[in-house]
């Protein structure tokens, strides 16, 4: 190919307006802000029915019987389905392990598990009918932590497991276990001058996306079904839906509808199969929309974790070794637990050079709510623990916490505990330097002219709890490492279809992928890539559906890299076709057709010297070039199940934070004043979106630090399934977030870019907690930090 | 579900008498949440929004007669001087959208121990004007709350207005929540100095089955201030007195452990708020205006 451009000359040479590197605005932005955007919950179809899901009130129980007769007898009810109505032998689904029942069969394993479905002509009718379904439960003992999971008489969540992890786990209530060994910990430990250890805990965070689970299934005349759905990965849904319905995949036609946020919570199925079952049973379109309460039961959450860490360092501040054990609570079904284990273990050392490690991570099966993907995916939990350890070590050595981290920071060429060499820029020390160099916000910002206090700048805000009394400032730092893309040997590819034609004299590109736009700005970036590669102004983004090949998941910070890579790759192939056509048609008129490097710019074929050779319209002569191609990133390898060795990750992503907090030490209330972030993004395809992602991730990390937690009782019951009591940061809790973006190209990635969506979520949490520790002198080994943790009044239960 | 829309106060009373189970709806910021959560499925809603007089207020000699449906936003904008404690409390309610709709009448109707207007009403001194086709009752606010989310309204009664004592001295309100806005109180405290009667009144929210006054704390402080002649001298309150007052406020509470906070924390926080708000109010009384700026 004569016209392949490298990242460097793209950056300098792109003349396309609205191409990569520009902050073009999102097409959905204004609509969302003004309330006009159509979300999946806004869909409507003539004659449609409403589906409702009856859920288990118990965390663990045997189902003795289900009597649906009264529900079926209610006027307006069209169908009531239970396990017995499932049409095929495939009754379970799951991302990696098919262990999740479409509807409960004889047993429920968590609070809120779907037991029966109702379709009725009105949502209220469906709800009332569901209340008339009589389910006889016999409660079973509840598995709620590691001790109860592996106790001698522990009930097995999934007896007779046959999945690919069943053979190597030490107990059937352990989903997956990944050890990693490298170096000689005993010898290194003997060399250590300072050894610190700690036990840390991370609460169950929720994705708290604002658009609840919803979708519309429309039965087709061919016996198939059209499903309009808010999801993160259409083809993964399809793979799980079609077998349960007993339909070939081509008869389950899926179209992405407006997605109101995801953050991992839509990687698993929610109401997809249910809506299709009801639609196929009734022959009518069926819409299901969860309300907020149900949404808390309708998706997986972030794994709560317990982490034990030991680190050693020499007097001159060099890390000697690290030992850790990470226990993740996967809840009742596997979901993404195995991959979360892979991440937690392989990233447990953080962005540091540690040659001697003993690592173990496991995920449990329990009767708690199922946990799976959430922004940061296993790396968040580890980062909270290892960053606390770094501060402890620095304190133990009498060193500055930033300098200590810089002294041990990894860089390009570092060997990970998995044996993988970090083969692209890893500017960990530089990111720390940058956040530290930013000017600190002024002291006592609440003091205004005169004697009055501006309470908005104080902990408690307008709640008027302090005018400065008891308030102490703290500053804390943290840095983290996240993998980008699917790891451990997964065939992580994306497909893009690109069509180039001239319409009404103007060249137009249509980009068609199955990428789920969940708010990350993927559609914006795809148009930018097409403009840059094809030199056109007009780019249409085709709605995402399953009429084109898979785009993989909108998760793992991977979409700009992988689907963006696929769009770039397909555009290059389209461009090559244009040039072929051009050579065939006009090659004899100008020698440059054969000799020069040719580009598409401004609707024309030009030489790299800028000479115009032909108009696209003349080259295409009414033809359209239409290609659909797959693109994959470099392959990865699984981690060895005993040693954890393997080139498991594609790319790493780094961010560092400095948190400045004011703590009301008497009331235990915290105001995060500023959360400065520095992140390496490789190449900012859309700088505005990059800053938006960093600020959003930072805020989500703040939420985990000081407020966000799903509280589950020892009986496995969710105690706060609402936004009244599951608190997420409001704009008044969101600090100033200065962002410093570094662009060090990764030569393996399209345009040199680095996936960015998750890294800022990691280091935000430990930076905030470090700042609170600095203000209070407390150990704070658990997030979210609650007022009681700062003032010492625990719950009477302990 | 029936939706009753009386055009006048008389029609509303008649409708309530005829449909005693009809649930009044003012701003709807509690009612709609309850319906949404399926906590409540009333067979009829009685919409009060067409009755203009319920959104009006009158400033009298000694009291403000606040129409039941006056939204918080109006209280913040227009009644800060007369009802400073309630205005501070109103400022902590929900978000701008909620403050544009939510009302003190609704807060009283809901009678949640966590309602933010209650501590301010208790501290200022207020009476609820409860009306039915049978007549009008003036209910002192401390007698209005009867249990968790229960009040003493009869099935045919509606709240027409709340009569709140105009501030005759500094008032403060303080609320602990686990985020800096849009949060239900973990606990809250209101205090009002009444130099005219040389008394101090208080209100505690979210730390007992109903909103309550910390009577023992009030009595202690009243006599401590009187004995030391502090109302006249305007000298600072001795720290030991403030501490004792705070302890008595803590002791007045009867809180529970729940997802929002532990009982022990609530007691602790009430003591801190009591000490601080007393300090701010007293400083203001002494002439050192130190009120917080709330924009
Ligand atoms: C997001 C959100 C945040 C909130 N934050 C807070 C907060 O921070 N602090 C707080 O205190 N509250 C809060 N609330 C609760 C609510 O806003 C308040 O209780 C508000 O005062 C209710 O007023 P309303 O006019 O909306 O009442 P409605 O919802 O209309 O009514 C509430 C109750 O009072 C009854 N009622 C209303 N008017 C009358 C009347 N005239 N006579 C007899 N009964 C009547 C109704 O039948 C109902 O039982 C919040 C609510 C939401 C949705």
């Amino acid at each position: 190919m004569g016209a392949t451009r490298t990242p460097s000359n793209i950056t300098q040479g792109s003349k396309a307006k609205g191409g990569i590197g520009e902050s073009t605005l999102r097409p959905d932005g204004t609509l969302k802000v003004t309330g006009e955007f159509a979300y999946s919950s806004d869909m409507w179809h003539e004659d449609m029915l409403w589906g409702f899901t009856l859920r288990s009130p118990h965390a663990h129980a045997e189902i003795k019987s289900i009597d649906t007769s009264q529900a079926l007898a209610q006027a307006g009810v069209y169908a009531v389905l239970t396990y017995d109505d499932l049409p095929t032998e495939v009754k379970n689904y799951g991302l990696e392990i098919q262990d999740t029942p479409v509807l409960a069969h004889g047993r429920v394993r968590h609070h809120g598990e779907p037991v029966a479905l109702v379709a009725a002509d009105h949502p209220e009718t469906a709800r009332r009918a569901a209340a008339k379904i009589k389910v006889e439960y016999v409660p079973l003992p509840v598995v709620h932590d590691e001790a109860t999971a592996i106790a001698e008489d522990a009930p097995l969540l999934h007896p007779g497991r046959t999945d690919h992890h069943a053979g190597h786990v030490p107990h059937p209530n352990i989903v997956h276990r990944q050890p990693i060994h490298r170096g000689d910990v005993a010898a290194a430990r003997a060399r250590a001058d300072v050894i610190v250890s700690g036990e840390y805990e991370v609460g169950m965070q929720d994705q708290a996306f604002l658009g609840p689970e919803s979708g519309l299934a429309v039965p087709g005349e061919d016996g198939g079904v059209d499903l309009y759905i808010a999801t993160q990965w259409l083809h993964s849904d399809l793979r799980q839906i079609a077998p349960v319905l007993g339909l070939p995949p081509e008869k389950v036609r899926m179209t992405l509808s407006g997605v109101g946020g995801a953050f991992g919570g839509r990687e698993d199925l929610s109401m997809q199969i249910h809506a299709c079952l009801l639609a196929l049973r009734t022959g009518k379109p069926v819409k299901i929309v969860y309300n907020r309460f149900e949404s808390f039961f309708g998706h997986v959450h972030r794994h709560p974790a317990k982490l034990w860490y030991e680190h050693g360092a020499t007097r001159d501040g060099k890390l000697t070794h690290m030992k850790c054990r990470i226990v993740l609570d996967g809840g009742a079904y596997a979901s993404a637990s195995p991959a979360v284990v892979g991440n937690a273990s392989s990233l447990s050392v953080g962005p540091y050079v540690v040659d001697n490690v003993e690592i173990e991570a496991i995920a449990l099966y329990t009767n708690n709510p199922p946990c799976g993907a959430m922004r940061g995916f296993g790396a968040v939990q580890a980062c909270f623990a290892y960053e606390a350890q770094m501060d402890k070590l620095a304190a133990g050595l009498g060193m500055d916490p930033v300098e200590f981290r810089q002294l041990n920071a990894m860089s390009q060429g570092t060997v990970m505990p998995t044996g993988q060499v970090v083969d692209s820029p890893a500017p960990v020390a530089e990111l720390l330097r940058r956040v530290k160099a930013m000017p600190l916000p002024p002291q006592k910002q609440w003091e205004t002219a005169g004697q009055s206090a501006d309470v908005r700048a104080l902990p408690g805000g307008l709640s008027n709890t302090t005018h400065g009394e008891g308030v102490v400032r703290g500053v804390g730092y943290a840095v983290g490492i996240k993998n980008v893309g699917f790891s451990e040997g997964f065939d992580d590819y994306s497909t893009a279809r690109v069509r180039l034609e001239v319409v009404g004299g103007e060249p137009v590109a249509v980009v068609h992928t199955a990428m789920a736009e969940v708010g990350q700005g993927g559609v914006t970036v795809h148009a930018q890539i097409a403009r840059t590669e094809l030199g056109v102004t007009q780019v249409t983004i085709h709605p995402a559906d399953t009429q084109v090949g898979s785009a993989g998941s909108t998760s793992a910070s991977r979409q700009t890299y992988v689907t963006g890579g696929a769009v770039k790759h397909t555009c290059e192939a389209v461009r090559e076709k244009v040039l072929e056509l051009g050579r065939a048609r006009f090659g004899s008129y100008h020698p440059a057709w054969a000799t020069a490097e040719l580009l598409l710019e401004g609707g024309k074929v030009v030489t790299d010297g800028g000479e115009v050779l032909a108009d696209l319209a003349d080259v295409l002569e009414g033809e359209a070039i239409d290609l659909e191609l797959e693109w994959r990133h470099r392959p990865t390898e699984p981690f060895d199940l005993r040693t954890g060795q393997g080139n498991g990750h594609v790319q790493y992503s780094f961010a560092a934070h400095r948190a400045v907090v004011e703590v009301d030490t008497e009331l235990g209330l915290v105001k995060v004043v500023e959360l400065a972030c520095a992140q390496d993004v490789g190449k900012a395809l859309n700088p505005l979106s990059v800053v938006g992602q960093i600020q959003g991730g930072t805020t989500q990390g703040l939420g985990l630090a000081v407020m966000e937690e799903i509280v589950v009782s020892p009986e496995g019951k969710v105690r706060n399934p609402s936004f009244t009591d599951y608190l997420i940061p409001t704009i008044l809790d969101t600090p100033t977030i200065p962002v410093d973006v570094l662009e060090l190209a990764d030569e393996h990635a399209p345009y040199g870019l680095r996936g960015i969506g998750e890294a800022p979520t990691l280091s935000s949490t430990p930076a905030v907690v470090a700042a609170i520790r600095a203000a209070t002198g407390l150990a704070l080994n658990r997030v979210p930090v609650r007022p009681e943790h700062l003032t010492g009044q625990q719950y009477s239960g302990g | 579900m029936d939706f009753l829309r009386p055009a006048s106060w008389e029609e509303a009373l008649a409708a309530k008498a005829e449909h005693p189970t009809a649930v009044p709806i003012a701003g709807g910021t509690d009612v709609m949440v309850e319906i949404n959560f399926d906590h409540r499925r009333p067979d009829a809603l009685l919409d009060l929004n067409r009755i203009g007089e319920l959104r009006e207020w009158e400033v009298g000699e000694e009291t403000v007669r606040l129409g039941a449906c006056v939204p918080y936003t109006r209280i913040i904008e227009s009644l800060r001087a007369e009802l400073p404690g309630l205005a501070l409390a109103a400022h902590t309610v929900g978000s701008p959208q909620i403050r544009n709709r939510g009302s003190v009448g609704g807060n009283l109707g809901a009678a949640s121990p966590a309602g933010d207007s209650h501590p301010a009403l208790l501290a200022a001194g207020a009476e609820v004007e409860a009306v039915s086709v049978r007549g009008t009752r003036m209910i002192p606010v401390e007698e209005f709350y009867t249990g968790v989310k229960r009040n003493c309204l009869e099935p045919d009664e509606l709240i027409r207005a709340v009569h709140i004592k105009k501030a005759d001295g500094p008032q403060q309100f303080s609320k602990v929540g686990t985020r800096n806005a849009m949060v239900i109180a973990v606990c809250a405290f209101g205090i009002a100095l009444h130099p005219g009667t040389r008394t101090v009144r208080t209100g505690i929210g979210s730390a007992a089955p109903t909103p309550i006054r910390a009577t023992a704390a009030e009595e202690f402080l009243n006599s401590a201030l009187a004995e030391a002649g502090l109302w006249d001298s305007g000298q600072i309150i001795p720290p030991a007195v403030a501490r004792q007052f705070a302890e008595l406020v803590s002791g007045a509470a009867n809180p529970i452990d729940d997802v929002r906070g532990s009982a022990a924390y609530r007691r602790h926080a009430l003591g801190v708020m009591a000490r601080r708000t007393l300090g701010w109010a007293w400083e203001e009384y002494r002439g050192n205006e130190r009120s917080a700026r709330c924009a």
Side-chain angles (χ1 to χ4, degrees), chain A residues 210-437:
Chain A
L210 294 186
E213 293 82 349
S214 46
L216 175 69
V218 184
E221 282 173 8
D222 61 349
V225 64
D226 287 277
L227 179 62
Y228 301 86
I229 185 73
T231 180
Q232 280 179 248
W233 186 358
L234 288 166
H235 286 80
S236 162
D237 287 9
L238 177 61
R239 179 179 53 78
Q240 298 170 78
I241 297 168
V244 177
L245 304 179
L247 289 172
E250 60 277 11
K251 283 202 173 179
V252 181
R253 293 163 296 260
M254 298 181 57
T255 306
L256 188 77
S257 54
V259 185
F263 311 107
R266 292 187 215 269
E267 206 159 74
D268 291 77
L269 296 179
S270 57
M271 41 56 64
Q272 284 89 328
I273 299 177
H274 297 166
C276 292
L277 286 170
L278 290 171
L280 291 170
R281 169 63 77 101
T282 60
K284 283 172 171 285
V286 173
K287 173 172 173 173
I288 297 184
V289 182
Y290 293 173
N291 65 14
R292 181 61 55 196
F293 175 86
E294 187 171 17
S295 176
F296 273 96
F297 298 97
H299 61 260
V300 300
H301 315 291
R302 186 191 298 292
H303 288 73
K306 288 209 164 81
L307 311 97
W308 291 265
Y309 265 79
E310 179 189 291
H311 279 88
T314 55
R315 206 165 291 116
D316 56 357
K318 279 288 190 184
L319 287 167
T320 52
H321 72 286
M322 184 279 270
K323 290 201 285 185
C324 74
R325 181 160 190 275
I326 300 175
V327 178
L328 301 150
D329 184 349
Y333 298 105
S335 177
S337 282
V340 172
V341 166
N343 269 11
S345 54
S346 60
L347 303 172
S348 62
V349 75
Y352 302 106
V353 181
V354 193
D355 294 328
N356 306 287
V357 298
E358 273 170 26
I359 296 163
E360 181 191 22
I362 61 169
L364 303 169
Y365 274 128
T366 67
N367 293 113
N368 290 326
C371 288
M374 182 175 171
R375 196 177 200 172
F377 204 88
V380 161
Q381 294 89 333
C383 188
F384 172 63
Y386 62 69
E387 285 302 87
Q389 288 281 103
M390 290 303 119
D391 284 340
K392 271 192 195 174
L393 277 169
L397 290 160
M399 288 181 71
D400 174 82
V402 171
E403 279 168 26
F404 174 70
R405 284 174 170 85
Q406 287 173 321
L407 199 55
N408 292 286
M410 68 159 54
S411 52
Q412 186 160 1
T414 293
V415 181
M416 294 289 286
T418 55
Q420 183 165 24
V421 177
V422 177
D423 64 358
S424 69
V428 177
E430 172 64 10
L431 294 173
L432 285 162
R433 189 192 66 74
R434 285 178 178 238
V435 281
K436 194 176 180 184

Side-chain angles (χ1 to χ4, degrees), chain A residues 127 469 666-667 725 728, chain B residues 38 179 260 265 275 280:
Chain A
R127 190 191 61 80
E469 298 91 336
E666 274 188 294
L667 285 176
D725 285 312
I728 53 178
Chain B
D38 218 14
R179 94 179 145 191
R260 293 177 196 147
Y265 174 76
R275 181 161 42 74
W280 303 333

